[in-house]
Amino acid sequence: MECLQANGYRLTNPRRITVEILANSKRPLNASEIYQLAKEQYAKIGLVSVYRTIEKLEELNLIQRVHKPEGCHAYIAGFTGHQHLLICTKCGKTEFFEGDDLQQLIARVSLESNFIIQDHWLTLFGICSDCQQKQSH
Amino acid sequence: MECLQANGYRLTNPRRITVEILANSKRPLNASEIYQLAKEQYAKIGLVSVYRTIEKLEELNLIQRVHKPEGCHAYIAGFTGHQHLLICTKCGKTEFFEGDDLQQLIARVSLESNFIIQDHWLTLFGICSDCQQKQSH
DNA sequence: TTTTTAATTGAAAACAATTTTCACTAATTA
DNA sequence: TAATTAGTGAAAATTGTTTTCAATTAAAAA
Ligand SMILES: [Mn+2]
Ligand SMILES: [Mn+2]
Ligand SMILES: [Zn+2]
Ligand SMILES: [Zn+2]
């Protein structure tokens, strides 16, 4: 909310609620999921406002689109700097990690392909500890 | 086409042309791009058949959806086994590479997060050699 | 505090992408 | 060759997202 305000945006109910939902979610949410949750707190919110808030939060790098095999329209909060995602394929729980060292790989691929490599996306998929326990029963 | 036939699908014009376009493309194409190209060879083809062929090729693992910042609705042919993509952000030219060794990283992240890590997505973005030359003029 | 203002809102309409329906066509089998 | 049935394309339906617009409301000004 501070960041929105600092960028000249007004602090409104639809924004507050959308931000709160995204900030508290451990898994990526899409517009309609946010909308369903938001209505519980603020019945008159419109889906359009959710879309518009997502757009602004993404511009300000406060949320990040998450690409998964099932779709790429969900967002997760908490992005800062160069990080990557670790996603539970059972419940969707998503964590960030960093410290990947791809320098050697990138150098090799660059040499073999004659590409100048500027960026990379890395996502790990697995089963979170909660879902491991549920599974073992 | 062989693989389609082996799986009980008929060899039709719409399929032949869609397959040919995807097989010959160096960059990922979406349904409507394939459709535009296909119409040049077979004017009466329908966009629906392109969608249906994409669906089957994806099921048979002959093509793969490509995730990019601009969107995730394009497909590239030639997927076999565990490989990753290298994409030119100028012209879209896409190559496969393999031999990434993420074992150490995966072990560390697994330990820190208590996830069992089962899969990963890695995509490198850069500038291909053609586009490097065009740029330097 | 009250008034002014312009950004923001939600409903509805518009738009875009994809899927479904259905009568017809054509690839394969007998 | 004829019979069968998968596959086709046009049109309609559906889904997800964006635009429009009059009304509302947060923030600035008085
Ligand atoms: Mn990295
Ligand atoms: Mn790999
Ligand atoms: Zn989980
Ligand atoms: Zn290029």
Side-chain angles (χ1 to χ4, degrees):
Chain A
M1 291 310 291
E2 284 164 37
C3 188
L4 280 171
Q5 194 166 43
N7 283 76
Y9 295 113
R10 291 184 181 176
L11 305 184
T12 67
N13 269 329
R15 285 182 184 157
R16 255 189 284 271
I17 287 159
T18 302
V19 166
E20 194 196 332
I21 288 169
L22 276 166
N24 292 330
S25 178
K26 271 176 250 144
R27 67 185 185 87
L29 300 172
N30 66 27
S32 122
E33 289 169 324
I34 296 169
Y35 175 60
Q36 297 307 326
L37 293 168
K39 275 200 294 190
E40 291 173 13
Q41 290 180 249
Y42 183 61
K44 75 185 260 267
I45 195 172
L47 176 57
V48 206
S49 292
V50 174
Y51 275 108
R52 290 190 277 227
T53 304
I54 287 175
E55 194 180 312
K56 283 168 185 62
L57 294 173
E58 197 181 15
E59 276 167 19
L60 297 173
N61 277 309
L62 298 170
I63 61 173
Q64 184 189 9
R65 182 188 290 264
V66 176
H67 300 260
K68 293 202 276 181
E70 322 88 72
C72 308
H73 293 268
Y75 292 84
I76 191 92
F79 184 75
T80 44
H82 179 83
Q83 292 198 310
H84 300 293
L85 294 178
L86 169 60
I87 304 174
C88 175
T89 52
K90 289 277 171 195
C91 70
K93 186 181 178 185
T94 295
E95 299 189 358
F96 289 94
F97 69 89
E98 49 193 325
D100 60 302
D101 185 11
L102 303 177
Q103 279 322 304
Q104 214 181 328
L105 171 68
I106 287 173
R108 201 203 80 218
V109 174
S110 182
L111 209 69
E112 286 173 8
S113 64
N114 288 115
F115 274 57
I116 293 173
I117 294 170
Q118 296 167 326
D119 200 6
H120 62 265
W121 280 1
L122 174 62
T123 305
L124 304 182
F125 296 96
I127 310 285
C128 77
S129 60
D130 285 358
C131 289
Q132 287 167 43
Q133 285 170 1
K134 279 175 207 152
Q135 232 170 10
S136 62
H137 294 306
Chain B
M1 290 311 290
E2 284 163 38
C3 187
L4 280 170
Q5 194 165 41
N7 285 78
Y9 295 114
R10 292 182 181 178
L11 304 184
T12 67
N13 270 329
R15 283 181 185 158
R16 257 188 284 271
I17 286 159
T18 302
V19 166
E20 195 196 330
I21 288 169
L22 276 166
N24 293 329
S25 178
K26 272 176 250 142
R27 67 184 184 84
L29 300 172
N30 65 30
S32 122
E33 289 169 325
I34 296 169
Y35 176 60
Q36 297 305 324
L37 293 168
K39 275 199 295 188
E40 292 172 13
Q41 291 180 246
Y42 183 62
K44 73 183 259 267
I45 194 171
L47 176 57
V48 204
S49 292
V50 174
Y51 275 108
R52 289 190 276 225
T53 304
I54 287 175
E55 194 180 313
K56 284 171 184 60
L57 294 174
E58 197 181 14
E59 275 168 21
L60 297 172
N61 277 311
L62 297 169
I63 60 172
Q64 183 189 11
R65 183 188 289 266
V66 177
H67 300 260
K68 293 203 276 181
E70 323 86 74
C72 307
H73 294 269
Y75 293 83
I76 191 92
F79 185 75
T80 43
H82 180 84
Q83 291 197 310
H84 299 292
L85 295 177
L86 169 60
I87 304 175
C88 175
T89 52
K90 290 276 171 198
C91 70
K93 185 180 179 185
T94 295
E95 300 188 359
F96 289 93
F97 68 89
E98 48 192 326
D100 60 301
D101 185 11
L102 302 178
Q103 280 321 307
Q104 212 181 329
L105 172 67
I106 287 172
R108 201 203 78 216
V109 173
S110 182
L111 209 69
E112 286 173 8
S113 64
N114 287 115
F115 274 57
I116 294 173
I117 295 170
Q118 296 167 325
D119 198 5
H120 62 265
W121 279 2
L122 173 62
T123 305
L124 304 182
F125 297 96
I127 311 285
C128 76
S129 60
D130 286 357
C131 290
Q132 286 167 45
Q133 284 168 2
K134 279 174 205 150
Q135 232 171 14
S136 64
H137 295 308

